């Protein structure tokens, strides 16, 4: 075999690893820009300076021009853009870091990447469900729910999540799965009210909590990051996927609201719910962030940073609202800017995924559950709550844009050399 044939086979092996690395990063939850940076860094470690990495939707293309002027291309397709697995993100990043530092040969790199993709999970399955229940409990209390409503919201979240996992495991399309999940959540809230356990307003806090946890916040964050990095095609693909999930929630909500109008629910409830004291709200934001870290398969390394992310985000948000007299709809995205900046600045030092830090901080402290709840209360009494639902959607988009702005600001700081002075 000639040297040229040997070189070509070696390049093909390297491209195979790079393409598989790209799809694995997208499948685990990384934004496209982060994927491209990781792949090009690994390519540079092998001396592949003339490499072009593109991500369009779920397709990753790696193109390399060798020293003889020959063009080599490898394509691979991610299974999904909707998943978010914090520990898988960490494991994949560890493989990429090892390849850069130790200059692994392509076959070894592929084996380690396959092992990183396959597991093992950092916690047993019940710990993930417990994290989701803790998150639901904290969010329900934050938006004005009682201890009983929060406990029932945690139990409902468990049923809704297991329902989604069961339907997804049987190949049911995501849209129909979300419709069923949203309907089940609404049915539980209505049943608890008819049983006399919860008032209409408290049942609404339960349903709103579950609905905002079904909402595709990871996709919205990644969509915003892709838009900022001018990757419009992938941003569009993510946005369409997120819109599909939101549409499923809306359809399930319409089904439940149509059914609720058949019952006499008494005098219209006030859409203004009680608010937790600031210190207690911050405490539950911290607990919610920890719960979300567990729920999104975050390993032990993520738990302490998640608590700090929840604390910082909630503190900034509450300071803007109570000290700066700023509307919550503006305070949340601004707090997300701070969170995105700090997450980008500390992720590499902490060896945790930046996107994971952003997600747990936002979900623990900034989700617009109260706005959804207010719109739901009005809609139950056949008063249009569409304005609240639109506002909730705008807040979610604003959180994603704010987080991506924070990440961008850190990149500006890093490029100008200020990052080095802080190390």
């Amino acid at each position: 075999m000639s040297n040229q044939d040997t070189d070509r086979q070696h390049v093909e092996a390297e491209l195979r690893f790079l393409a598989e690395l790209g799809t694995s990063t997208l499948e685990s939850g990384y934004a496209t820009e982060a994927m491209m940076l990781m792949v090009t860094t690994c390519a540079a470690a092998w001396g592949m300076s003339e490499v072009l990495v593109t991500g369009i939707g779920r397709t990753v293309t790696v193109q390399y021009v060798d020293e003889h002027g020959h063009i080599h291309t490898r394509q691979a397709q991610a299974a999904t853009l909707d998943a978010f697995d914090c520990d898988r993100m960490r494991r994949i990043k560890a493989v990429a870091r090892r390849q850069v530092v130790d200059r692994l040969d392509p076959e070894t790199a592929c084996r380690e990447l396959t092992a990183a993709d396959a597991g093992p999970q950092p916690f047993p399955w019940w710990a993930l469900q417990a994290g989701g229940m803790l998150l639901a409990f904290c969010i329900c209390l934050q938006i004005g729910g009682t201890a009983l409503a929060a406990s029932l919201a945690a139990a409902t979240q468990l049923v809704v999540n297991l329902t989604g996992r069961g339907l997804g495991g049987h190949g049911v399309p995501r849209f129909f799965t979300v419709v069923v999940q949203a309907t089940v959540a609404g049915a539980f809230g209505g049943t608890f009210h008819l049983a006399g356990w919860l008032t209409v307003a408290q049942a609404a806090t339960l349903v709103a909590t579950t609905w905002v946890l079904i909402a595709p916040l990871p996709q919205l964050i990644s969509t915003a990051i892709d838009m900022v990095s001018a990757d419009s095609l992938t941003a569009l693909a993510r946005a369409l996927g997120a819109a599909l999930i939101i549409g499923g929630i809306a359809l399930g909500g319409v089904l439940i609201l149509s059914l609720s109008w058949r019952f006499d629910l008494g005098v219209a409830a006030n859409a203004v719910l009680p608010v937790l004291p600031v210190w207690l709200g911050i405490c539950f934001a911290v607990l919610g962030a920890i719960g979300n870290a567990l729920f999104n398969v975050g390993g032990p390394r993520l738990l302490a940073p998640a608590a700090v992310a929840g604390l910082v985000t909630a503190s900034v948000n509450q300071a803007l609202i109570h000290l700066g007299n700023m509307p919550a709809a503006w305070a949340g995205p601004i707090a997300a800017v701070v969170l995105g900046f700090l997450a980008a600045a500390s992720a590499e030092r902490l060896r945790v995924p930046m996107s994971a830090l952003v997600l747990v901080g936002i979900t623990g402290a900034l989700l617009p559950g109260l706005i959804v709840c207010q719109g739901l209360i009005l809609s139950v009494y056949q008063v249009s709550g569409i304005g609240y639902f639109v506002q909730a959607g705008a807040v979610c988009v604003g959180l994603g844009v704010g987080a991506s702005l924070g990440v961008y600001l850190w990149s500006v700081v890093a490029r100008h050399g200020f990052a080095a002075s802080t190390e």
Side-chain angles (χ1 to χ4, degrees):
M1 183 179 296
S2 67
N3 290 336
Q4 190 170 352
D5 290 337
T6 302
D7 291 343
R8 183 170 61 251
Q9 291 181 358
H10 189 72
V11 168
E12 292 298 325
E14 291 174 335
L15 291 180
R16 179 165 67 89
F17 167 76
L18 296 175
E20 290 178 359
L21 176 65
T23 56
S24 294
T25 56
L26 292 180
E27 290 173 355
S28 63
Y30 279 101
T32 306
E33 183 182 31
M35 177 275 293
M36 294 167 62
L37 178 60
M38 193 182 303
V39 173
T40 53
T41 301
C42 288
W46 278 328
M48 303 173 71
S49 57
E50 299 296 326
V51 68
L52 175 64
V53 182
T54 56
I56 300 177
R58 295 188 293 118
T59 302
V60 176
T61 303
V62 183
Q63 189 177 78
Y64 171 64
V65 181
D66 64 20
E67 58 185 5
H68 303 293
H70 299 148
I71 299 176
H72 306 265
T73 303
R74 182 86 181 200
Q75 276 192 337
Q77 191 170 69
T80 180
L81 295 176
D82 298 336
F84 198 87
D85 186 327
C86 296
D87 198 64
R88 185 183 179 190
M89 295 169 75
R90 180 192 62 79
R91 297 193 304 267
I92 291 170
K93 183 64 178 289
V95 172
R97 184 182 293 109
R98 178 164 148 71
Q99 189 276 326
V100 171
V101 173
D102 297 338
R103 303 294 197 276
L104 300 176
D105 63 88
E107 294 301 326
T108 302
C110 285
R111 285 197 303 270
E112 294 197 5
L113 180 61
T114 300
D117 277 330
Q121 297 299 318
F123 296 110
W125 70 270
W126 57 262
L128 275 62
Q129 302 303 325
M133 295 174 70
L134 175 61
L135 178 58
F137 182 87
C138 293
I139 291 177
C140 191
L141 287 177
Q142 286 177 312
I143 65 176
T146 62
L148 176 59
S151 300
L152 293 174
T156 301
Q157 166 62 22
L158 174 63
V159 174
V160 168
N161 188 56
L162 291 178
T163 300
R165 290 168 65 92
L167 293 175
H170 286 83
V172 177
R174 183 72 183 277
F175 175 77
F176 298 114
T177 297
V178 171
V179 171
V180 173
Q181 287 180 293
T183 304
V184 169
F188 269 94
T191 300
F192 293 145
H193 168 69
L194 294 176
W197 296 357
L198 301 176
T199 66
V200 171
Q202 293 302 328
T205 62
L206 179 151
V207 176
T209 295
T210 311
W211 283 359
V212 297
L213 289 180
I214 300 173
L217 188 61
Q219 291 94 307
L220 292 175
I221 293 173
S222 296
T223 297
I225 294 174
D226 287 340
M227 289 177 63
V228 169
S229 61
D231 189 4
S232 56
L233 290 177
T234 304
L236 178 60
R238 292 186 189 275
L240 290 175
L244 189 68
I245 297 174
I246 294 172
I249 297 173
L251 180 55
V254 169
L255 294 174
I256 287 298
L257 287 173
S258 299
L259 182 61
S260 71
W261 295 335
R262 298 177 177 272
F263 296 90
D264 182 9
L265 300 177
V267 180
N270 192 339
V272 178
L273 293 167
V275 179
L276 287 175
V278 173
W279 68 271
L280 198 55
I282 293 176
C283 289
F284 282 117
V286 172
L287 290 175
I290 294 173
N292 196 30
L294 289 170
F295 189 48
N296 283 286
V297 204
R301 190 186 294 271
L302 182 60
L303 298 184
V308 175
L311 174 63
V312 171
T313 308
S315 299
V316 172
N317 186 52
Q318 293 296 327
L320 292 173
I321 293 173
H322 295 283
L323 299 180
N325 295 318
M326 184 176 292
W330 285 99
I334 293 176
V337 174
V338 177
L339 174 63
F341 185 89
L342 295 178
S346 60
E348 192 64 29
R349 294 180 177 87
L350 297 174
R351 299 293 177 89
V352 296
M354 177 191 68
S355 300
L357 280 176
V358 171
L359 179 67
V360 297
I362 286 179
T363 310
L366 303 179
L367 282 182
L370 178 59
I371 301 174
V372 174
C373 182
Q374 291 170 326
L376 186 57
I377 292 173
L378 292 177
S379 299
V380 164
Y381 291 99
Q382 302 189 46
V383 178
S384 177
I386 190 66
Y388 285 99
F389 297 130
V390 171
Q391 184 181 355
V395 169
C396 286
V397 173
L399 294 176
V401 173
S404 64
L405 175 58
V407 173
Y408 170 74
L409 291 176
W410 169 252
S411 69
V412 173
V413 171
R415 281 200 303 270
H416 284 79
F418 296 110
S421 65
T422 62
E423 295 180 353

